[in-house]
Amino acid sequence: MLNVSDPAFWSRLQFGFTLTYHYLFPQLTMGLAWFLVYWKWRALRTGDERYHVAAQFWAKIFGLNFAVGVVTGIPMEFQFGTNWAGFSRYAGAVVGQTLAMEGMFAFFMESAFVGVFIWGEKRLGPRVHFLTALLVATGSWLSGYFILVTNAFMQHPVGYHIEADGTLGIASLSAYLLNPWAFVQFAHNQCAALVTGSFVVTSVGAFYTLRGLHPTQSKIYLRAGTLVGLFASLLVAFPTGDQQAKMVGRHQEVTLAAMEGKFKGSDEAGVALIGQPNVEAQRLDNAIEVPGALSFLAYGSFGSYVHGLDEYPQNVWPDNIELLYYAFHLMITLGTIFIFVMAYANFRRWRGKLDTDRWLLWVLLLAFPFPYIANTLGWMTTELGRQPWLIYNLFHTGDGYSKVVSNGDTIFTLIGFTGLYFVLGLLFLGLTGRELAFGPDYEIPSNGKELVE
């Protein structure tokens, strides 16, 4: 169980805080990147200035978001040496491979072409400028893949061997890079990033529509945002979310039991719609379940047996079952709501009534923070579920933190990060708000016609 006097607790809290804050920005970067590619492609193919303006406007938001993401990501790299020296010594020869690849290949490509994309259009011409947008998007997603391969190794270690000194080394680079867990996690994570991007684009379109501003651009944002949002929300649930659940069921059975508050194994195990995990009594209080649903989600059959926590020693249980359970179920609830909201928005748009449905526009405007919350809950589920291991079944979390760093040092730097990130957040919101207030640089005069695709 968690112990606030344990140095590992504060190192985990510090890393969890910096990671959670940092990931607010990459998820939008990855979610927006392909919108930019699409609008640049449309502008290049049709010569329609509206799509060129959309790409220009969102490139500014993308650039601001990317810059803050870079700044907030730097402290995480240092924490491997300062707070997690034990983990770095044990697994650095493995996880360092993909962290280096991310920096040398993906990040450099993305960061180099972001500047070219934002400021170099006049020198490059339309075709080369479209290519830079494609390279930016590719770099952002490639960066995500390398990071997720690192995390996938911690969830499901493959392609390693144990050296003579007890540390890990690479036995097969291809097995490590092509970890099946990484493929599933990458697909799920990137679809979730697209959900974030689509909700942000839709929210801005709804804002301008409600204010009666930039009508041509707001139609483009609403159409692209709601359409991508629906498909991405569906893909998050199936097949990517379904495959992620099956991966957990095959390789982390105790995690699956904790995620569902399942203390006793059974056939035809149900998914809890409502319930409160009671760890002391080892039961799920006030449970309302869908019979057989968990068996089907985890193993593809309604009658499959799902293991319970009582089948494992308590020292391998996730150390915060309550938080894990609620994070998982809130994530699922929000994902379901996203599907219904975007499905209804697309229906209203198909009927030609989205622009005039003020209640729905307000919902779309105010909904943009919730994908951020859902993504955060998803990562909480992933990381809390792996505990008490840093590398599943290989290396305990308690062995990974730096023994020479005191609680006071860690708390002091955590307070410093909190203050710094608060200032960065205010700066980001101020600059982004200024761009949104200014709006697109160019607006095609309204001729009373609907936007036709």
Side-chain angles (χ1 to χ4, degrees), residues 12 15-16 19 151-152 154-155 185 252 255 318-319 324 376-390 397:
R12 286 175 62 185
F15 193 83
L19 175 62
N151 186 264
M154 298 168 70
Q155 304 288 341
Q185 190 173 17
Q252 296 185 2
T255 300
D319 51 23
L324 171 62
T376 299
L377 292 170
W379 275 107
M380 287 175 63
T381 301
T382 299
E383 299 306 292
L384 289 171
R386 191 186 64 240
Q387 299 302 320
W389 306 95
L390 273 178
T397 301

Side-chain angles (χ1 to χ4, degrees), residues 23 57 65 92 111 127 216 227 239 300 312 365 440 445 453:
Y23 193 64
F57 172 69
N65 194 81
S111 58
R127 292 183 181 277
T216 303
L227 188 61
Y312 303 90
L365 170 62
E453 295 295 323

Side-chain angles (χ1 to χ4, degrees), residues 42 68 123 186 236 295 365:
R42 290 284 295 187
V68 180
R123 291 181 177 272
F186 177 73
V236 166
S295 295
L365 170 62

Side-chain angles (χ1 to χ4, degrees), residues 188-208:
H188 189 58
N189 187 79
Q190 300 311 99
C191 288
L194 283 173
V195 171
T196 300
S198 63
F199 267 78
V200 170
V201 170
T202 302
S203 177
V204 173
F207 172 72
Y208 286 149

Side-chain angles (χ1 to χ4, degrees), residues 56-262:
Q56 277 189 325
F57 172 69
W58 283 100
K60 298 173 186 177
I61 307 298
F62 182 96
L64 287 170
N65 194 81
F66 176 79
V68 180
V70 171
V71 173
T72 56
I74 292 173
M76 293 169 51
E77 301 287 344
F78 287 105
Q79 285 180 59
F80 285 114
T82 57
N83 292 79
W84 296 100
F87 171 71
S88 298
R89 282 193 300 269
Y90 180 75
V94 177
V95 299
Q97 301 289 330
T98 38
L99 292 177
M101 289 178 184
E102 189 270 338
M104 292 180 64
F105 304 133
F107 174 73
F108 280 170
M109 180 172 71
E110 182 186 10
S111 58
F113 285 104
V114 163
V116 175
F117 179 74
I118 295 175
W119 291 293
E121 182 175 9
K122 292 182 180 179
R123 291 181 177 272
L124 297 175
R127 292 183 181 277
V128 179
H129 195 246
F130 165 72
L131 180 61
T132 63
L134 188 61
L135 289 171
V136 167
T138 302
S140 70
W141 279 45
L142 187 60
S143 178
Y145 183 73
F146 285 134
I147 295 298
L148 290 171
V149 166
T150 308
N151 186 264
F153 178 79
M154 298 168 70
Q155 304 288 341
H156 176 54
V158 295
Y160 70 94
H161 68 263
I162 300 177
E163 304 281 4
D165 61 358
T167 63
L168 299 184
I170 291 284
S172 171
L173 185 61
S174 61
Y176 173 61
L177 292 176
L178 302 177
N179 188 340
W181 191 293
F183 284 134
V184 173
Q185 190 173 17
F186 177 73
H188 189 58
N189 187 79
Q190 300 311 99
C191 288
L194 283 173
V195 171
T196 300
S198 63
F199 267 78
V200 170
V201 170
T202 302
S203 177
V204 173
F207 172 72
Y208 286 149
T209 302
L210 288 167
R211 293 285 303 274
L213 301 172
H214 314 294
T216 303
Q217 287 295 297
S218 64
K219 288 178 186 293
I220 293 176
Y221 305 160
L222 285 172
R223 182 187 190 279
T226 54
L227 188 61
V228 174
L230 176 58
F231 281 104
S233 297
L234 289 169
L235 289 172
V236 166
F238 185 87
T240 68
D242 174 70
Q243 289 302 309
Q244 185 77 55
K246 287 178 170 56
M247 193 70 72
V248 173
R250 286 196 298 270
H251 301 292
Q252 296 185 2
E253 293 172 335
V254 65
T255 300
L256 180 68
M259 286 163 57
E260 278 295 339
K262 189 162 188 60

